[in-house]
Amino acid sequence: MRTQVAIIGAGPAGLTLGRLLEREGIEAVILEARSRDYVEHRIRAGVLEQGTVDLLTDAGVGDRMHREGLVHHGIELRFDGVGHRIPLSDLAGGRVIVIYGQTEVVKDLIAARLETGAPLRFEVEDVSVHDVDGDTPSVRFRHDGADHELHCDVIAGCDGFHGVCRQAMPQDRLQVFQREWPFAWLGILAEAPPSSDELIYTRHERGFALASLRSPELARLYIQCRPDDDLEDWPDERIWEELRTRFATREEGWTLNEGPVLDRLIAPMRSFVAEPMQHGRLFLAGDAAHIVPPTGAKGLNLAIADVRVLAEALVDSYRRGDRAGLDAYSDTCLRRVWRAQHFSWWMTTMLHVADDDPFGAQLMRSQLEYVVNSEAAATTLAENYVGLPFARTGAYSRG
Ligand code: FAD
Ligand code: DHB
């Protein structure tokens, strides 16, 4: 078997890269370890930056997103029982965010690929990458009981944090930066109308809580919990009680809508970057190279920003023999990655409550008060949250 680009992983990064390359006439084969059903129902992120929305639209996979996605122009920060609206679009040059689940993005990308018949194999096993240092790299895998070898020009490692591609990089050249957080998120999907038109990020002395949504009938809610908590520790009534307490407001007329819990998970929180994101003919993208804590809603958006850079670099290389973009891939991506790391760290520390840190808690209360009272500080939040504009030669620009 032979192709131009072997893409490992059919998450948002791998599927989007496949789509961008297909539109440019570059061949790719996507290999995914899980089943189609599994990847289409893995509930994760829900906030798309303006740049992500534009890219999916330009790639011809935005129709359903434009029909069903919910355009938001602001978010609420709630603390000390009072809510404060951050008018994102007013502060960030009119840019918006769109609420559209990662599951839906993935479904749209898979449907588009199957429609054109471009190669996408689910349930592949024992994937390994070979000879990335030379000119003839390959990927070996098992599928339908047979062994295969896929020869290619380039391998795109889009296989997430637990994939094989980062492990295939020379470990002595890889520099890892990381931070484990002393808390996790418990997330639920509830059959209940959202309690607010816009997302609410709350800091309460008992911990962080977030009210998001998937549709006018489905609420998505998160609370800070302990990293070693088990889902069994959290029966529905305890979850709702904690949500009611943390969202409690001194203002009249707001109630938390409740309903049957359809899905639940506990997600650990991690900040992680592996540098460089490339070695020879292997290029890492998305969670394979970096993880952010979810408070800034950046994970999915960063994954798509990486493959945008990679797709443009591959086009330059195939069309004009210009390898400059590929050579600069890691440096270009990392500038945006570290901006998102900082923003995610800042949002996380500002909104979560750590045990035994009363000094930190006072600092963060002060920071929140500053953000909601200073246009300069609110603008910092807004422009990072909606996503900094892309630049051709760098990771972001002033727009
Ligand atoms: P992934 O989505 O992880 O996709 C990688 C794909 O590679 C997977 O389909 C996997 O099955 C496949 N794969 C792995 N190993 C192999 C292999 N050896 N061979 C072939 N295929 C392989 N971000 C937010 O912004 N907000 C959130 O609320 C949020 N919640 C999250 C909750 C959880 C539990 C997790 C894990 C992540 C969450 N994220 C969230 C992060 C966001 O979902 C990720 O940043 C995003 O999925 C990254 O996309 P990706 O394509 O790089 O990786
Ligand atoms: C959602 C997830 C996030 O991490 C976030 O910051 C906002 C919303 C969501 O799943 O809807």
Side-chain angles (χ1 to χ4, degrees), residues 44-47 185 199 201 210 212 214 220 222 294-297 385:
R44 291 181 169 180
V47 176
W185 276 18
L199 271 59
Y201 286 82
L210 167 62
S212 180
R214 283 294 178 274
R220 180 82 171 144
Y222 298 95
T295 328
Y385 194 87

Side-chain angles (χ1 to χ4, degrees), residues 8-15 31-34 38-39 42-47 102 124 126-127 158-165 185 214 220 222 265-268 285-288 290-292 294 296-301 303:
I8 306 184
L15 289 165
L31 302 173
E32 165 60 47
R34 302 285 194 159
Y38 184 92
V39 300
R42 191 166 41 188
I43 300 181
R44 291 181 169 180
V47 176
Q102 178 169 332
V124 301
D126 299 334
V127 174
C158 303
D159 51 348
F161 186 68
H162 300 287
V164 295
C165 291
W185 276 18
R214 283 294 178 274
R220 180 82 171 144
Y222 298 95
L265 63 78
I266 289 183
D287 279 16
H290 42 72
I291 298 281
V292 286
K298 287 282 162 264
L300 163 65
N301 293 293

Side-chain angles (χ1 to χ4, degrees), residues 25 158 217 358 376 381:
C158 303
E217 297 84 34
L381 189 154

Side-chain angles (χ1 to χ4, degrees), residues 12-321:
L15 289 165
T16 304
L17 179 62
R19 179 69 182 177
L20 295 174
L21 295 179
E22 191 183 347
R23 304 273 282 186
E24 298 289 346
I26 297 172
E27 277 173 30
V29 174
I30 306 182
L31 302 173
E32 165 60 47
R34 302 285 194 159
S35 67
R36 177 180 179 188
D37 189 61
Y38 184 92
V39 300
E40 288 189 342
H41 294 94
R42 191 166 41 188
I43 300 181
R44 291 181 169 180
V47 176
L48 306 185
E49 294 176 358
Q50 177 81 63
T52 301
V53 170
D54 294 345
L55 179 140
L56 294 171
T57 307
D58 293 346
V61 284
D63 290 353
R64 196 163 67 94
M65 172 182 70
H66 286 289
R67 275 200 314 277
E68 298 176 17
L70 305 165
V71 176
H72 283 199
H73 299 278
I75 57 168
E76 179 181 324
L77 294 182
R78 189 177 286 189
F79 58 100
D80 295 342
V82 180
H84 307 263
R85 181 168 190 266
I86 305 292
L88 298 174
S89 302
D90 294 348
L91 296 169
R95 278 173 288 152
V96 301
I97 52 164
V98 172
I99 308 300
Y100 191 63
Q102 178 169 332
T103 44
E104 307 314 304
V105 174
V106 163
K107 281 180 204 162
D108 294 346
L109 285 161
I110 290 175
R113 192 162 183 92
L114 295 180
E115 198 180 306
T116 60
L120 164 57
R121 296 200 187 194
F122 292 102
E123 299 181 72
V124 301
E125 296 171 281
D126 299 334
V127 174
S128 58
V129 304
H130 301 272
D131 303 322
V132 296
D133 279 314
D135 292 336
T136 54
S138 67
V139 180
R140 295 188 198 142
F141 61 97
R142 279 184 73 73
H143 191 231
D144 285 342
D147 291 323
H148 300 273
E149 183 159 13
L150 174 62
H151 297 275
C152 55
D153 302 327
V154 161
I155 299 172
C158 303
D159 51 348
F161 186 68
H162 300 287
V164 295
C165 291
R166 192 176 66 255
Q167 309 307 331
M169 305 272 286
Q171 299 298 305
D172 55 342
R173 298 220 194 134
L174 211 59
Q175 203 175 357
V176 167
F177 301 86
Q178 61 182 325
R179 181 167 290 181
E180 297 278 336
W181 294 84
F183 24 79
W185 276 18
L186 168 67
I188 60 166
L189 186 70
E191 204 176 329
S195 305
S196 155
D197 290 340
E198 295 182 337
L199 271 59
I200 309 174
Y201 286 82
T202 302
R203 181 189 169 98
H204 183 274
E205 60 191 20
R206 294 183 59 80
F208 169 77
L210 167 62
S212 180
L213 64 159
R214 283 294 178 274
S215 74
E217 297 84 34
L218 284 178
R220 180 82 171 144
L221 298 146
Y222 298 95
I223 45 177
Q224 173 186 344
C225 66
R226 295 182 174 277
D228 52 358
D229 274 359
D230 215 83
L231 279 176
E232 269 107 77
D233 302 329
W234 287 94
D236 289 4
E237 189 38 45
R238 182 175 175 209
I239 298 174
W240 289 113
E241 177 62 35
E242 204 58 43
L243 285 163
R244 282 192 292 268
T245 304
R246 296 189 193 181
F247 283 114
T249 165
R250 289 194 259 125
E251 289 156 37
E252 293 280 308
W254 190 87
T255 49
L256 180 70
N257 296 330
E258 300 178 24
V261 175
L262 305 178
D263 188 87
R264 68 192 75 217
L265 63 78
I266 289 183
M269 282 168 69
R270 192 182 278 123
S271 298
F272 177 96
V273 182
E275 296 188 12
M277 290 169 57
Q278 68 195 93
H279 175 74
R281 289 172 174 263
L282 173 61
F283 296 82
L284 303 180
D287 279 16
H290 42 72
I291 298 281
V292 286
T295 328
K298 287 282 162 264
L300 163 65
N301 293 293
L302 262 190
I304 289 185
D306 286 350
V307 299
R308 171 197 194 107
V309 175
L310 186 53
E312 283 179 1
L314 286 166
V315 170
D316 286 351
S317 166
Y318 280 115
R319 288 253 173 84
R320 306 201 308 267

